[in-house]
Amino acid sequence: MLGKKLVTAQKRGETRALCLGLGMVACSMMMYFFIGITIVPFYTNSVWTTETVCKVLKANIKDKAFCPNSKGSEDEEIFPYPCLQVWVNLTASGQEVMLYQTEDTLERNPKCSYVPEKLENSKEVKARIETIASNFKKYQTFPCYYDPGGRQTNVILSRLYPSKGLLFAFLWPTLMFTGGCLIIVLVKISQYVSVLYAWQ
């Protein structure tokens, strides 16, 4: 009687462990799919792939520009902000080009190097942009990214999804997939050993 209870409990434990392993594999596959349709296209479509050194030529704050509150929405509330324009000397080619914060900055407003997020306090936005401008004037040389193919003549300060960020995004689903497969393999080995022992 006790032996039957132990066997039943063992089978229940194996079933739960097998379900856990299968669930981890399924979740990891869903995460792979989500990353593949969201992050990977942004990474592969970015033309600013080569890192070089940029030297600031001028950083000016122009008249106020207007930024949409939410990109792609029909009812776009726009708010004014000071337009920061940063021009740099591209070391790779010696050209004078405009610097943008990221790829998204160029799409949102090609006239400004920095586009702030929606903030209710306009003074805070102005203070932040002035701080950024003073930092550019203080730190004249810094790494930046440019398009080696020449399709984009401007440069960006940082990529939205660099190579390290992409690898980090794939790290967690890979660990989950490996753990799930390991659990499934261990359960199958346990079942095989149990059957082999019972047959002997």
Side-chain angles (χ1 to χ4, degrees):
M1 189 69 179
L2 182 60
K4 290 183 179 180
K5 290 184 178 180
L6 289 175
V7 171
T8 303
Q10 182 181 4
K11 289 183 178 180
R12 289 178 180 176
E14 290 176 350
T15 303
R16 292 174 181 175
L18 190 61
C19 291
L20 176 62
L22 293 174
M24 291 174 66
V25 171
C27 289
S28 64
M29 298 305 293
M30 292 176 61
M31 292 174 67
Y32 278 129
F33 176 75
F34 179 76
I35 294 172
I37 63 174
T38 55
I39 299 179
V40 174
F42 281 104
Y43 176 80
T44 55
N45 293 334
S46 178
V47 296
W48 295 272
T49 56
T50 305
E51 184 175 351
T52 185
V53 177
C54 289
K55 184 177 181 180
V56 175
L57 297 176
K58 53 184 176 181
N60 301 324
I61 298 178
K62 301 293 184 180
D63 296 334
K64 288 186 177 181
F66 291 91
C67 177
N69 182 22
S70 56
K71 190 171 85 172
S73 63
E74 296 180 358
D75 301 328
E76 288 185 337
E77 299 179 3
I78 57 176
F79 67 97
Y81 62 94
C83 182
L84 172 64
Q85 293 182 345
V86 180
W87 293 87
V88 298
N89 184 15
L90 187 60
T91 305
S93 61
Q95 295 178 333
E96 180 180 340
V97 295
M98 190 170 178
L99 174 74
Y100 295 94
Q101 184 185 14
T102 61
E103 301 94 332
D104 186 59
T105 306
L106 179 62
E107 294 181 3
R108 295 179 65 185
N109 191 349
K111 295 181 179 179
C112 303
S113 298
Y114 173 76
V115 177
E117 298 295 332
K118 173 61 176 162
L119 296 173
E120 298 295 337
N121 192 347
S122 59
K123 292 182 178 179
E124 184 178 349
V125 175
K126 183 179 179 181
R128 177 178 296 181
I129 293 177
E130 290 177 350
T131 301
I132 294 173
S134 62
N135 287 336
F136 277 118
K137 294 176 181 179
K138 182 179 179 181
Y139 304 100
Q140 293 285 316
T141 305
F142 51 87
C144 58
Y145 295 89
Y146 76 100
D147 176 18
R151 287 174 290 177
Q152 292 286 345
T153 56
N154 42 58
V155 295
I156 60 174
L157 181 62
S158 59
R159 301 182 65 182
L160 282 174
Y161 299 104
S163 301
K164 292 182 180 178
L166 189 65
L167 291 176
F168 184 77
F170 279 106
L171 175 63
W172 296 111
T174 302
L175 292 176
M176 183 178 293
F177 179 81
T178 305
C181 291
L182 184 62
I183 291 175
I184 295 173
V185 170
L186 291 177
V187 170
K188 292 300 181 180
I189 292 176
S190 176
Q191 291 176 346
Y192 175 76
V193 171
S194 298
V195 171
L196 185 62
Y197 179 76
W199 180 77
Q200 290 179 350

